[in-house]
Amino acid sequence: MIEYSRSTSTDVGAFLEAEGRVAVMPFGALEQHGPHLPLSTDTLQAEALAATIAERISGALIPAMPYGNTWSNDALPGTVSLSADTVTAVCSDIALSLERAGFDLLVVVNGDFGNRLPLHRAAEAAAARGGMPVLVLDYPGLAEIGDAVKETPWAAPGLCHAEEIETSLVLAIAPELVDRERYVAEYPQLPADFGLRQMALAPLSDSGVFGDPRPASAEKGNRILSHVVEESLHVIAAVRASLSAKKPR
Amino acid sequence: MIEYSRSTSTDVGAFLEAEGRVAVMPFGALEQHGPHLPLSTDTLQAEALAATIAERISGALIPAMPYGNTWSNDALPGTVSLSADTVTAVCSDIALSLERAGFDLLVVVNGDFGNRLPLHRAAEAAAARGGMPVLVLDYPGLAEIGDAVKETPWAAPGLCHAEEIETSLVLAIAPELVDRERYVAEYPQLPADFGLRQMALAPLSDSGVFGDPRPASAEKGNRILSHVVEESLHVIAAVRASLSAKKPR
Amino acid sequence: MIEYSRSTSTDVGAFLEAEGRVAVMPFGALEQHGPHLPLSTDTLQAEALAATIAERISGALIPAMPYGNTWSNDALPGTVSLSADTVTAVCSDIALSLERAGFDLLVVVNGDFGNRLPLHRAAEAAAARGGMPVLVLDYPGLAEIGDAVKETPWAAPGLCHAEEIETSLVLAIAPELVDRERYVAEYPQLPADFGLRQMALAPLSDSGVFGDPRPASAEKGNRILSHVVEESLHVIAAVRASLSAKKPR
Amino acid sequence: MIEYSRSTSTDVGAFLEAEGRVAVMPFGALEQHGPHLPLSTDTLQAEALAATIAERISGALIPAMPYGNTWSNDALPGTVSLSADTVTAVCSDIALSLERAGFDLLVVVNGDFGNRLPLHRAAEAAAARGGMPVLVLDYPGLAEIGDAVKETPWAAPGLCHAEEIETSLVLAIAPELVDRERYVAEYPQLPADFGLRQMALAPLSDSGVFGDPRPASAEKGNRILSHVVEESLHVIAAVRASLSAKKPR
Amino acid sequence: MIEYSRSTSTDVGAFLEAEGRVAVMPFGALEQHGPHLPLSTDTLQAEALAATIAERISGALIPAMPYGNTWSNDALPGTVSLSADTVTAVCSDIALSLERAGFDLLVVVNGDFGNRLPLHRAAEAAAARGGMPVLVLDYPGLAEIGDAVKETPWAAPGLCHAEEIETSLVLAIAPELVDRERYVAEYPQLPADFGLRQMALAPLSDSGVFGDPRPASAEKGNRILSHVVEESLHVIAAVRASLSAKKPR
Amino acid sequence: MIEYSRSTSTDVGAFLEAEGRVAVMPFGALEQHGPHLPLSTDTLQAEALAATIAERISGALIPAMPYGNTWSNDALPGTVSLSADTVTAVCSDIALSLERAGFDLLVVVNGDFGNRLPLHRAAEAAAARGGMPVLVLDYPGLAEIGDAVKETPWAAPGLCHAEEIETSLVLAIAPELVDRERYVAEYPQLPADFGLRQMALAPLSDSGVFGDPRPASAEKGNRILSHVVEESLHVIAAVRASLSAKKPR
């Protein structure tokens, strides 16, 4: 495993000779996460997952993208958003650059809901032109482990924002950035079509919280991280198996 | 309910005065569907669903888009594909045109897997600029009714292509276009990462079929259509409730 | 001749082995055509012409595009418009897809004035990159046959909109969609520069009619269709002769 | 009348207070015109016409664009081409800039066949967004005056390239740039579909000439210029009448 | 040396056989230059420099672009501006066209401050794709010769606009276009961050002058031209040396 | 001063009420820096400068962009590059997002040469549309302090890449990432036109070093940082003075 941001060109050259050419990129966001979690919450989570994944697959960890497509939280202080097209462009450019450098696969660990469409669009564009595959991971296994770990209800199926899960994750990764004094539970009354179409989140919750952060703990966060890492590794293993099966043909 | 392609400007003017301003657009594709189903299979299905939905909600049915983003089947004869960006542009232009004409909602009934990302991208763009909402429906309830109806296994979870489900649907909608003599069952050996990332379908199946069309029937097709229509209506009702809740504020 | 939307991939495969690889695409619009003609008037006409042309040249008829660049009628109910750039993109994508599939020529039968510039632009782009030729037909011979057939004057030279010619055409193609009770003649006072520069049509006519539909008949419509088909065939024959002359070189 | 390139900001300020705000822009090209005419032939012609037109209407003459969309002559030495999109962008930007400065109309005097589509596209875009009108003039009346003046046949209907007409025009405008020793007549055997679709010109003529320059004369050139100017003035008068009719409404 | 606009295709063909394939393009602007200098000031200067440079290096002089990116003077009469993107597109298209014609180098003599970013962007894009090099010259040596020649102070370091330097240059190139009666000196009070970030010029000076044109003379203009030509030739010589060094490898 | 990535939405809300609304964004790159410096060298430097600047002006520090436009080093291991257009888009999106949030100024601390054009282009675009000003700082004062501090010669005027200056900076900021065992001095023979036009760096130096890192020290690094910070503060002070002068008008 190699961490690009802390390594030299010489180190990378040696690594690329010796090991599987899989790059792992955390894609985060700078987005409001209530009164108690840092704006970089999504980036921290993606980074933690990506680092462990890169280590487990002896991959190349490249720097976390600290901005994402977060228009849906634009109305709350601290959110700084890229457009969807720019998120796609960043991912496509990096994939092309790695492809030219001889990589076999880019794994994008996506930390923000708003990045899903633009990142998968970049992945599809790569597939449609027959380029190096791009695999976008949106926290595989999160729903299952969430069900297992959470003591409080989901604000909506699959919706984690500044509540027990996200707070547990930041407690596990960067506890010094969690302001426990400010824990607020809010279960916004969601519109009838929540989850059925794209809509802005910011107007729905006064606090920016969707759920209850109070029972969060680092231990829960670590359980969640472990599970998502394992599920991610299964997906990556399947992709690598598929890619190496293709080569001999 | 009004069908734009068969109505005059005068008819539309009267309709828009009287009824809810919801437009329903089928978005299809021109894509290989094995030796026995027509290239317009996706369009026919989307059109049939959209017509029933428009009738049930007294909406305006606008013409079916007969081309989609079908790069993944480009290698087989008969597939004629738009790029993903063009699919997004068609949907965005039509949404804008309807918005200017005073509509409240565009419901897109999507008949092709490859259109999902580009259509949802158009919907998100509309939401991000605060425009008229666009609701993209990808056959809601299909998995459930498929499980209930199918006598043959799925080639992969959720994968319907020229097999029992799709053949039943065309038997229900346009039986004269189904060549029953040519039924072929094929369960391709799918790569380990099928469904985990975007990949071309054409190289995976010799016949272009993914499953077994033989037990298909019009009666099954009608059951599937009914179920998907009902599920679609639930979603649309939720969206309309949400939109009318917003207005008084 | 083969009609893509009603044929299977297998049929297309066989057809492409045996016959000349010319595709014929009707490009229509969804546009106000007065109180008595359907919004799909342009699409119906282009489709009828294209079907006969495809039959006569043993070509491949691909589905009609039911939307076009109709900003000039946006102000009247029922018009749903694409931007000029999107019309160009649809045509260019389809030309590229057919080129990859081995076709020699795409004939676009254009049913709407507003599509002219964007379709010819797509054709020029194909020529400039040395791609498969795209031939755009804008009703060749219409002025001559119009002069021969019309009993009422033109609203302006070459201007047909919901008047005797267009009404005759729809009477010939889809008489059930013509509302004869609502025939209205209107000869708008056109601005001095009509036809000299691009301008919106909708503000010029109260009824949306430009001329007099009353003497229209299916028989006239058929005469017009026949003439335009013959003229189209001459053009296509010239292009094919030119293309086959080029090959041996 | 004011010539922007030779006038100061102060002059323009005074002019815009006093006179009709119509700008006239020659749009030329840098393109092969046989062994005897300069590469700037199209620019010279457009400039001469535009200068007279601007004088006659007391308009503002802005500088000639010396490059155009000339891909069809790219294969012969001296042709330097812009893409069609760039021609559109130049025209659209200038129209917008003049609109902001308070002009009522931009008249584009187009000197090159390849600029037609991209310039009309810019004009249509201006009309579609309700901006300042753009009038593109493609030598109105040229066919008539050509028929009256020419002693040699046309290489094809309406095709003037480095033959009697174009040579006469340059003899009238800039005789020092015509190399009379090098006159060559060539009537290329044109493909059957010449004029029916876009095609490259360069491969068709060995000399780059399409016709016979030998009977050219400055006197003929002046007759042609006069006629095209008069026809252009009629068109402009119609547009201005139409625009001023609109204002009081 | 060959001047494209005055030469024939045949001349260019012969020239390209015999001499170094370097093209020189003046890139100007149409921009307010106070009460006494013509709007084409930047174009005239770039053209004069480019003509001499082309002569000295036996290069091909191609026509001057008479419009540039001059948004910063949009508010004063006579300025007609392209967008930055269009300036980049014009330069990129011409570079590509010359590259296809077999040139080794395009030298762009830039006459307007606003063109710097967009022209260098075109040059960088050419370098990044490994295309024919594009060298953008922004009056090399102007600061030095200005210091030597000027009798009046600079309005700001390196800022020449309608003052002693620019007036001297036009007096040397086209004295008939200078209105000596209207000389006005203005030293605007510049904001504290002038030169540190992009800002509009027009609001800063009532007259549009930045400095004092009164001591201008043709003799000074010629000294400036000579110096900038010599500095430009040094730069070009360095580039050509570098390019020919590369070839044998 | 507030550091967005470590702060909550609530903190930002309070900060924005109380203090000057200036955001500071480090824009870095992931680029080869020889055998001894990390790929994130440019990002580390920009981040260190930006943090101090933000503190000194009580600004909002937003996350560092860890990728830039580094095509010129693409050929060496570890460089991962965005296109120039994507760099512009990231900066423009963030500026727009901050503008909507009520900021007065975005200061971009640029750490990579290749980002200059695209970042200044974003700044110009903001100015041309009259948006929130964007100030791009390219290490102001670096040449002066470099001359004062360096014991070894510059590889070329103003060129710092993995030599004494850059190594000193990383020794001051993140000494644990410097591999002192691998110090290599290389003074590549630069082509005659180095610095005169855009060219790739990677082919010029075997080691990726341009100069001599051996006399580097943290103390020198701190002197350089201090000087560049002070110069940056002068520039920012000038911009803020200018902006507040404008408001009362």
Side-chain angles (χ1 to χ4, degrees), chain B residues 190-203:
Chain B
L190 299 175
D193 55 349
F194 187 83
L196 299 175
R197 62 179 183 93
Q198 302 276 351
M199 63 178 63
L201 284 183

PDB file of all heavy atoms in Angstrom, chain B residues 190-203:
ATOM      1  N   LEU B 190     -22.352 -14.799 -15.947  1.00  0.00           N
ATOM      2  CA  LEU B 190     -22.062 -13.382 -15.744  1.00  0.00           C
ATOM      3  C   LEU B 190     -20.751 -13.220 -14.985  1.00  0.00           C
ATOM      4  O   LEU B 190     -20.406 -14.052 -14.134  1.00  0.00           O
ATOM      5  CB  LEU B 190     -23.203 -12.729 -14.974  1.00  0.00           C
ATOM      6  CG  LEU B 190     -24.541 -12.792 -15.715  1.00  0.00           C
ATOM      7  CD1 LEU B 190     -25.650 -12.246 -14.836  1.00  0.00           C
ATOM      8  CD2 LEU B 190     -24.477 -12.030 -17.028  1.00  0.00           C
ATOM      9  N   PRO B 191     -20.009 -12.152 -15.289  1.00  0.00           N
ATOM     10  CA  PRO B 191     -18.757 -11.909 -14.554  1.00  0.00           C
ATOM     11  C   PRO B 191     -19.049 -11.650 -13.075  1.00  0.00           C
ATOM     12  O   PRO B 191     -20.156 -11.262 -12.693  1.00  0.00           O
ATOM     13  CB  PRO B 191     -18.175 -10.667 -15.228  1.00  0.00           C
ATOM     14  CG  PRO B 191     -19.285 -10.057 -16.007  1.00  0.00           C
ATOM     15  CD  PRO B 191     -20.272 -11.137 -16.303  1.00  0.00           C
ATOM     16  N   ALA B 192     -18.039 -11.882 -12.269  1.00  0.00           N
ATOM     17  CA  ALA B 192     -18.200 -11.781 -10.813  1.00  0.00           C
ATOM     18  C   ALA B 192     -18.716 -10.417 -10.374  1.00  0.00           C
ATOM     19  O   ALA B 192     -19.359 -10.296  -9.334  1.00  0.00           O
ATOM     20  CB  ALA B 192     -16.846 -12.062 -10.135  1.00  0.00           C
ATOM     21  N   ASP B 193     -18.434  -9.379 -11.145  1.00  0.00           N
ATOM     22  CA  ASP B 193     -18.818  -8.036 -10.717  1.00  0.00           C
ATOM     23  C   ASP B 193     -20.047  -7.525 -11.475  1.00  0.00           C
ATOM     24  O   ASP B 193     -20.286  -6.314 -11.513  1.00  0.00           O
ATOM     25  CB  ASP B 193     -17.646  -7.062 -10.892  1.00  0.00           C
ATOM     26  CG  ASP B 193     -17.100  -7.053 -12.307  1.00  0.00           C
ATOM     27  OD1 ASP B 193     -17.485  -7.937 -13.107  1.00  0.00           O
ATOM     28  OD2 ASP B 193     -16.295  -6.167 -12.605  1.00  0.00           O
ATOM     29  N   PHE B 194     -20.816  -8.439 -12.026  1.00  0.00           N
ATOM     30  CA  PHE B 194     -22.019  -7.982 -12.730  1.00  0.00           C
ATOM     31  C   PHE B 194     -22.947  -7.260 -11.749  1.00  0.00           C
ATOM     32  O   PHE B 194     -23.229  -7.770 -10.666  1.00  0.00           O
ATOM     33  CB  PHE B 194     -22.751  -9.177 -13.353  1.00  0.00           C
ATOM     34  CG  PHE B 194     -23.896  -8.733 -14.218  1.00  0.00           C
ATOM     35  CD1 PHE B 194     -23.660  -8.348 -15.522  1.00  0.00           C
ATOM     36  CD2 PHE B 194     -25.185  -8.634 -13.712  1.00  0.00           C
ATOM     37  CE1 PHE B 194     -24.698  -7.899 -16.320  1.00  0.00           C
ATOM     38  CE2 PHE B 194     -26.230  -8.186 -14.497  1.00  0.00           C
ATOM     39  CZ  PHE B 194     -25.983  -7.818 -15.802  1.00  0.00           C
ATOM     40  N   GLY B 195     -23.430  -6.111 -12.154  1.00  0.00           N
ATOM     41  CA  GLY B 195     -24.320  -5.341 -11.289  1.00  0.00           C
ATOM     42  C   GLY B 195     -23.577  -4.440 -10.314  1.00  0.00           C
ATOM     43  O   GLY B 195     -24.183  -3.590  -9.670  1.00  0.00           O
ATOM     44  N   LEU B 196     -22.275  -4.639 -10.205  1.00  0.00           N
ATOM     45  CA  LEU B 196     -21.505  -3.824  -9.276  1.00  0.00           C
ATOM     46  C   LEU B 196     -20.895  -2.618  -9.958  1.00  0.00           C
ATOM     47  O   LEU B 196     -20.533  -1.645  -9.313  1.00  0.00           O
ATOM     48  CB  LEU B 196     -20.408  -4.665  -8.623  1.00  0.00           C
ATOM     49  CG  LEU B 196     -20.940  -5.851  -7.811  1.00  0.00           C
ATOM     50  CD1 LEU B 196     -19.781  -6.693  -7.296  1.00  0.00           C
ATOM     51  CD2 LEU B 196     -21.788  -5.362  -6.641  1.00  0.00           C
ATOM     52  N   ARG B 197     -20.711  -2.735 -11.248  1.00  0.00           N
ATOM     53  CA  ARG B 197     -20.248  -1.569 -12.009  1.00  0.00           C
ATOM     54  C   ARG B 197     -20.834  -1.639 -13.409  1.00  0.00           C
ATOM     55  O   ARG B 197     -21.337  -2.663 -13.834  1.00  0.00           O
ATOM     56  CB  ARG B 197     -18.726  -1.510 -12.057  1.00  0.00           C
ATOM     57  CG  ARG B 197     -18.106  -2.692 -12.744  1.00  0.00           C
ATOM     58  CD  ARG B 197     -16.586  -2.586 -12.798  1.00  0.00           C
ATOM     59  NE  ARG B 197     -16.095  -3.737 -13.541  1.00  0.00           N
ATOM     60  CZ  ARG B 197     -15.869  -3.724 -14.869  1.00  0.00           C
ATOM     61  NH1 ARG B 197     -16.073  -2.642 -15.567  1.00  0.00           N
ATOM     62  NH2 ARG B 197     -15.445  -4.809 -15.482  1.00  0.00           N
ATOM     63  N   GLN B 198     -20.777  -0.521 -14.113  1.00  0.00           N
ATOM     64  CA  GLN B 198     -21.309  -0.428 -15.461  1.00  0.00           C
ATOM     65  C   GLN B 198     -20.490  -1.318 -16.384  1.00  0.00           C
ATOM     66  O   GLN B 198     -19.265  -1.239 -16.387  1.00  0.00           O
ATOM     67  CB  GLN B 198     -21.214   1.021 -15.954  1.00  0.00           C
ATOM     68  CG  GLN B 198     -21.929   2.020 -15.077  1.00  0.00           C
ATOM     69  CD  GLN B 198     -23.404   2.117 -15.405  1.00  0.00           C
ATOM     70  OE1 GLN B 198     -23.856   1.553 -16.410  1.00  0.00           O
ATOM     71  NE2 GLN B 198     -24.159   2.802 -14.579  1.00  0.00           N
ATOM     72  N   MET B 199     -21.160  -2.130 -17.193  1.00  0.00           N
ATOM     73  CA  MET B 199     -20.410  -2.907 -18.183  1.00  0.00           C
ATOM     74  C   MET B 199     -21.309  -3.170 -19.394  1.00  0.00           C
ATOM     75  O   MET B 199     -22.532  -3.084 -19.315  1.00  0.00           O
ATOM     76  CB  MET B 199     -19.918  -4.231 -17.601  1.00  0.00           C
ATOM     77  CG  MET B 199     -20.996  -5.186 -17.172  1.00  0.00           C
ATOM     78  SD  MET B 199     -20.319  -6.751 -16.532  1.00  0.00           S
ATOM     79  CE  MET B 199     -19.412  -6.177 -15.090  1.00  0.00           C
ATOM     80  N   ALA B 200     -20.685  -3.452 -20.518  1.00  0.00           N
ATOM     81  CA  ALA B 200     -21.438  -3.741 -21.735  1.00  0.00           C
ATOM     82  C   ALA B 200     -22.158  -5.069 -21.600  1.00  0.00           C
ATOM     83  O   ALA B 200     -21.604  -6.046 -21.074  1.00  0.00           O
ATOM     84  CB  ALA B 200     -20.500  -3.752 -22.933  1.00  0.00           C
ATOM     85  N   LEU B 201     -23.426  -5.134 -22.061  1.00  0.00           N
ATOM     86  CA  LEU B 201     -24.195  -6.373 -22.011  1.00  0.00           C
ATOM     87  C   LEU B 201     -23.935  -7.258 -23.240  1.00  0.00           C
ATOM     88  O   LEU B 201     -23.925  -8.484 -23.145  1.00  0.00           O
ATOM     89  CB  LEU B 201     -25.700  -6.065 -21.970  1.00  0.00           C
ATOM     90  CG  LEU B 201     -26.285  -5.590 -20.655  1.00  0.00           C
ATOM     91  CD1 LEU B 201     -27.789  -5.414 -20.804  1.00  0.00           C
ATOM     92  CD2 LEU B 201     -25.983  -6.598 -19.540  1.00  0.00           C
ATOM     93  N   ALA B 202     -23.757  -6.610 -24.374  1.00  0.00           N
ATOM     94  CA  ALA B 202     -23.725  -7.356 -25.630  1.00  0.00           C
ATOM     95  C   ALA B 202     -22.727  -8.525 -25.640  1.00  0.00           C
ATOM     96  O   ALA B 202     -23.055  -9.618 -26.120  1.00  0.00           O
ATOM     97  CB  ALA B 202     -23.471  -6.408 -26.798  1.00  0.00           C
ATOM     98  N   PRO B 203     -21.525  -8.338 -25.103  1.00  0.00           N
ATOM     99  CA  PRO B 203     -20.571  -9.457 -25.187  1.00  0.00           C
ATOM    100  C   PRO B 203     -20.938 -10.646 -24.305  1.00  0.00           C
ATOM    101  O   PRO B 203     -20.332 -11.717 -24.434  1.00  0.00           O
ATOM    102  CB  PRO B 203     -19.255  -8.838 -24.680  1.00  0.00           C
ATOM    103  CG  PRO B 203     -19.467  -7.353 -24.669  1.00  0.00           C
ATOM    104  CD  PRO B 203     -20.928  -7.141 -24.538  1.00  0.00           C
TER     105      PRO B 203
END
